[in-house]
Amino acid sequence: MRMRTLELTVGVFILAGLLALAVLAVRVSGLSTNTTGDVYKVYAHFDNVSGLTTRARVTMAGVTIGQVTDIQFDKNRYTGRVEMAIFSDVDTLPADSAASIVTAGLLGEKYIGISVGGDDMMLAEGDEIYDTQSALVLEELIGRFLLNTVSSDD
Amino acid sequence: MKASMTDRIALLGRSGLDVVGTLGRSGIFLFQALAGRSQFGNAFGLLVRQLYAVGVLSMVIIVVSGLFIGMVLALQGYNILSGYGSEQAVGQMVALTLLRELGPVVTALLFAGRAGSALTAEIGLMKATEQLSSLEMIGVDPLKYVIAPRLWAGFISMPLLAMIFCVVGIWGGAMVAVDWLGVYSGSYWSNMQNSVQFGEDVLNGLIKSVAFAFVVTWIAVFQGYDCDPTSEGISRATTRTVVYASLAVLSLDFILTALMF
Amino acid sequence: MAVSSDYIVDMQKVSFSRGERLIFDNVDIRIPRGKVTGIMGPSGCGKTTLLRLIGAQLRPDSGSIMVNDQDIPKLGRSELFEARQQMGMLFQSGALFTDLSVFENVAFSLRVHTDLPEEMVRDIVLLKLQAVGLRGAYQLMPDELSGGMQRRVALARAIALDPQLLMYDEPFVGQDPISMGVLVRLIRLLNDALGLTSIVVSHDLAETAGIADYLYVVGDGMVLGQGKPEDLMNSDNPRIRQFMQGEPDGPVPFHYPANGYVDDLLGKESR
């Protein structure tokens, strides 16, 4: 009888440990988002993808609707080619929707925000988003700002 | 006085030989304990008993420490990060710190203090009261009957404890950051999920804690088995367990971190 | 085979040293089968070491130790554990497993070495406990027993597998007269009833001489004398006489080796 309670508590202990691992996998590292649920792939070319990483969020109206699954350099177009996986139940994205790389906060992570277009055609597996806006590079921004001040002085 | 120089060199040599001898004995000890199959029908029962003593009984200290360390991390992180206006990154900071470093390391240190010292004292006492010799005379190998289940229990328990520690810590961090300091819960978790990689962070932390489990349990059990069978010897061995295990964990942590990240 | 079959243990030219200290120097000891043999000597002369040599918990530097015609120090690890099933050892402290009940302690070797059904294990355990008079205590834990009772339980455990050779390490130390009497009677009784061979290592003169059929007196790494107890009592050898009669001073000096007494008092450094 005593042995049985012993076995029981040990069983609970091991279960708790494994459960903790599962929590770390799903809730903390967000492993689930790319394994659960059906997705469809959409592509977009950006002139500059600096700061964007795979597994970054793809959002619309602030809600996550997918994630970045791959980033490669397109050597023909000299642009960054981003592959996104959009949840299948979000199947009403107009084909002329725009994708932009935005930053959460000043130093926060980069993610892709999609704004709705007006086309009747919807994006489907393998389609490309043509209307893109690149990542904001702080140095460029500052450089442009300084240039403008100088030229307006003239 | 004349011979003091040669005496010192001889002393150095003798302690060097001692160290090498101890290392050799502990290696043989480990091999003999783990090699081959257990000859007992109730090997599972023995393991369960030790899992209880080593793992379940360490739960309280692990959970409480994890909770407080997670809460402190969130508090400190918030204070620093809010200076840059990026307090939503506090979740990411808490999670990465816990998974990569504090989870495995602090668990190993606490484990050495709680379970390691208990293992050393218990085995030392069994040696002092001739229970180990008694087993030998009954025809039972104490390495297989006493040592092996304790080693396995340590190897299994510590990674589990480390995972529990991390989860409790992250949860404690969320409690402080979200519920108390008012970080938006969505950004606490999504920031964390975006930056924490399962393979890079969670698995590497797990590998670390497996390595620590191996080292700490080995040291604890060997110190008990190798101690002087007197009350003084046992108390010295217990102290040695905690000191050696802690030093081993911290230095091993540096090496593993350098290799992994 | 025929030569040594009268002797269950046959140690020849055994030397053993611990560190720098020589504990046994070319010792020959033979233990006759079916008898109670006492091994006596002053404290610290290596009597317990002798038992550990026979049980192969220690290995001699040289010499052979035959137990049942097997050279014990030369056996491999698994053969050794096999051979030890023929031996029972009663340790000074009893050495009961503190996390097991009295019943489980006695049943331990049965469970490890045999596949007997639970009913039979129970019968055997109760039988052995009955033999030492503690059948009523089978549910207790070792720390609920007195020292004397612990030793009796340990004795029951040692005879659980019906060994041929039973070794007692200082069985009389720290016992009150009653439990001492019980133990003395038990050793003799078990030896005769179960057809065992017993080796009793002790420095308690009266008790050991009282039950032993044959005595060895060891000291200074040698066998000082051997024979029947009454022969040894009347031995001419001054060392044996001193031990058997319990004289404080003699060949074994009362004083630890020291510098001259007067020199010491006068503070002369004689090095």
Side-chain angles (χ1 to χ4, degrees):
Chain A
M1 201 55 207
R2 224 185 86 67
M3 194 64 199
R4 211 181 136 61
T5 52
L6 209 75
E7 280 174 356
L8 215 67
T9 49
V10 169
V12 169
F13 164 63
I14 291 178
L15 222 63
L18 295 179
L19 201 71
L21 184 62
V23 167
L24 290 181
V26 176
R27 186 101 173 94
V28 175
S29 66
L31 199 65
S32 68
T33 36
N34 56 5
T35 49
T36 60
D38 289 326
V39 293
Y40 62 97
K41 299 270 167 66
V42 170
Y43 301 91
H45 286 84
F46 293 92
D47 292 338
N48 192 333
V49 292
S50 84
L52 192 71
T53 58
T54 53
R55 285 163 25 84
R57 285 179 299 155
V58 177
T59 66
M60 176 168 252
V63 181
T64 303
I65 59 167
Q67 68 173 183
V68 173
T69 48
D70 194 25
I71 300 174
Q72 270 171 354
F73 178 62
D74 187 331
K75 60 182 179 184
N76 297 320
R77 294 166 63 172
Y78 306 106
T79 51
R81 181 170 178 272
V82 174
E83 182 188 278
M84 289 169 274
I86 311 287
F87 301 147
S88 297
D89 49 342
V90 187
D91 54 0
T92 53
L93 295 178
D96 63 346
S97 296
S100 50
I101 298 177
V102 271
T103 313
L106 188 58
L107 298 170
E109 100 262 21
K110 294 265 197 313
Y111 63 96
I112 293 183
I114 296 184
S115 37
V116 201
D119 206 324
D120 290 341
M121 298 278 287
M122 300 300 161
L123 283 172
E125 167 79 33
D127 282 356
E128 189 181 337
I129 298 177
Y130 293 102
D131 187 358
T132 62
Q133 191 183 345
S134 293
L136 219 60
V137 179
L138 212 56
E139 292 89 332
E140 276 178 19
L141 201 69
I142 295 169
R144 213 177 297 159
F145 174 73
L146 287 176
L147 214 66
N148 281 347
T149 1
V150 171
S151 55
S152 63
D153 276 355
D154 285 342
Chain B
M1 280 295 143
K2 255 185 288 169
S4 74
M5 197 58 209
T6 46
D7 274 0
R8 272 181 212 160
I9 294 174
L11 190 70
L12 190 71
R14 193 174 337 128
S15 36
L17 286 176
D18 264 4
V19 169
V20 173
T22 308
L23 280 178
R25 265 181 298 135
S26 64
I28 294 169
F29 161 85
L30 187 72
F31 176 77
Q32 283 182 335
L34 297 183
R37 285 183 60 249
S38 171
Q39 74 229 57
F40 313 106
N42 63 341
F44 180 72
L46 291 173
L47 181 63
V48 167
R49 208 173 274 274
Q50 290 313 316
L51 277 173
Y52 179 80
V54 167
V56 176
L57 293 183
S58 304
M59 277 283 276
V60 175
I61 190 173
I62 290 295
V63 168
V64 173
S65 317
L67 186 67
F68 278 108
I69 286 181
M71 282 164 41
V72 166
L73 279 177
L75 208 54
Q76 292 278 20
Y78 181 85
N79 285 339
I80 295 167
L81 289 171
S82 62
Y84 304 95
S86 34
E87 55 268 23
Q88 71 273 22
V90 73
Q92 153 185 4
M93 197 205 84
V94 170
L96 285 181
T97 318
L98 278 173
L99 287 171
R100 290 184 169 193
E101 281 303 323
L102 290 186
V105 171
V106 176
T107 304
L109 295 180
L110 291 173
F111 187 88
R114 169 65 184 80
S117 57
L119 279 177
T120 306
E122 188 194 14
I123 295 170
L125 205 63
M126 288 179 88
K127 188 179 184 186
T129 54
E130 296 174 310
Q131 291 183 51
L132 294 184
S133 303
S134 190
L135 277 172
E136 276 182 17
M137 288 309 299
I138 286 174
V140 171
D141 190 344
L143 287 176
K144 293 268 187 294
Y145 184 80
V146 174
I147 304 298
R150 283 167 173 77
L151 282 172
W152 283 116
F155 296 167
I156 294 170
S157 297
M158 204 200 286
L160 294 176
L161 287 170
M163 294 298 105
I164 294 171
F165 185 95
C166 289
V167 168
V168 172
I170 289 169
W171 181 68
M175 239 172 35
V176 168
V178 175
D179 298 336
W180 183 24
L181 298 171
V183 174
Y184 174 55
S185 99
S187 53
Y188 181 89
W189 292 108
S190 67
N191 239 314
M192 186 188 294
Q193 287 176 0
N194 283 328
S195 53
V196 175
Q197 308 270 329
F198 183 73
E200 173 100 342
D201 302 315
V202 179
L203 280 190
N204 274 351
L206 192 64
I207 290 170
K208 267 189 183 181
S209 76
V210 170
F212 296 160
F214 187 77
V215 171
V216 171
T217 318
W218 182 13
I219 289 176
V221 169
F222 178 71
Q223 287 297 339
Y225 190 77
D226 200 49
C227 76
D228 273 344
T230 58
S231 39
E232 203 196 0
I234 294 171
S235 80
R236 256 187 285 123
T238 312
T239 311
R240 269 205 304 269
T241 292
V242 177
V243 174
Y244 290 178
S246 305
L247 292 179
V249 164
L250 293 174
S251 51
L252 191 64
D253 181 48
F254 177 75
I255 296 168
L256 286 178
T257 306
L259 290 177
M260 280 173 175
F261 298 107
Chain C
M1 283 292 227
V3 184
S4 62
S5 64
D6 285 347
Y7 297 97
I8 191 159
V9 178
D10 193 346
M11 302 173 77
Q12 284 184 353
K13 296 200 178 9
V14 172
S15 297
F16 179 80
S17 54
R18 182 168 281 154
E20 305 276 290
R21 206 161 83 88
L22 195 62
I23 296 182
F24 291 118
D25 185 13
N26 267 333
V27 166
D28 295 326
I29 289 179
R30 301 208 283 185
I31 310 289
R33 199 180 283 274
K35 299 267 168 58
V36 177
T37 305
I39 295 179
M40 313 201 52
S43 305
C45 72
K47 301 186 297 293
T48 304
T49 308
L50 187 75
L51 290 189
R52 291 189 184 243
L53 283 170
I54 295 174
Q57 293 190 316
L58 298 172
R59 275 162 205 255
D61 299 339
S62 63
S64 74
I65 302 173
M66 309 289 287
V67 177
N68 265 337
D69 301 316
Q70 275 181 303
D71 197 354
I72 288 285
K74 293 208 174 69
L75 293 182
R77 211 171 157 76
S78 55
E79 290 169 308
L80 189 61
F81 281 113
E82 199 87 356
R84 280 183 185 149
Q85 293 179 34
Q86 295 302 318
M87 306 179 201
M89 173 108 111
L90 186 68
F91 287 89
Q92 215 174 107
S93 58
L96 292 178
F97 304 130
T98 39
D99 54 340
L100 299 178
S101 69
V102 166
F103 183 92
E104 288 300 322
N105 259 289
V106 180
F108 185 84
S109 48
L110 293 170
R111 293 202 203 282
V112 174
H113 291 303
T114 67
D115 288 323
L116 295 176
E118 188 56 33
E119 312 242 310
M120 216 140 133
V121 170
R122 190 185 144 81
D123 288 350
I124 295 175
V125 170
L126 291 182
L127 201 74
K128 303 294 179 190
L129 281 173
Q130 173 74 10
V132 297
L134 287 174
R135 185 167 48 84
Y138 76 96
Q139 280 176 318
L140 299 180
M141 295 303 282
D143 51 14
E144 296 174 284
L145 299 175
S146 73
M149 287 199 271
Q150 284 188 15
R151 233 168 270 195
R152 274 148 73 191
V153 173
L155 186 53
R157 182 179 68 185
I159 58 173
L161 275 182
D162 293 317
Q164 299 179 18
L165 177 64
L166 203 48
M167 294 181 270
Y168 301 85
D169 185 7
E170 300 281 9
F172 309 120
V173 166
Q175 300 291 302
D176 62 69
I178 301 176
S179 36
M180 189 115 88
V182 170
L183 268 174
V184 169
R185 226 172 59 88
L186 268 178
I187 293 172
R188 187 75 244 178
L189 202 72
L190 289 174
N191 192 77
D192 297 346
L194 302 177
L196 301 169
T197 305
S198 308
I199 306 177
V200 180
V201 157
S202 176
H203 55 245
D204 284 279
L205 194 69
E207 284 75 22
T208 314
I211 52 170
D213 300 309
Y214 200 77
L215 274 185
Y216 276 92
V217 178
V218 291
D220 289 343
M222 308 178 280
V223 174
L224 297 176
Q226 53 177 300
K228 292 196 165 53
E230 50 274 23
D231 296 345
L232 281 177
M233 277 297 193
N234 305 319
S235 168
D236 299 332
N237 187 326
R239 303 206 56 147
I240 298 173
R241 270 185 79 85
Q242 185 197 355
F243 184 78
M244 298 299 275
Q245 312 287 349
E247 291 157 3
D249 211 350
V252 178
F254 171 69
H255 291 287
Y256 192 86
N259 306 325
Y261 190 32
V262 179
D263 291 348
D264 248 6
L265 287 182
L266 293 177
K268 284 185 193 159
E269 193 80 55
S270 60
R271 253 185 263 175

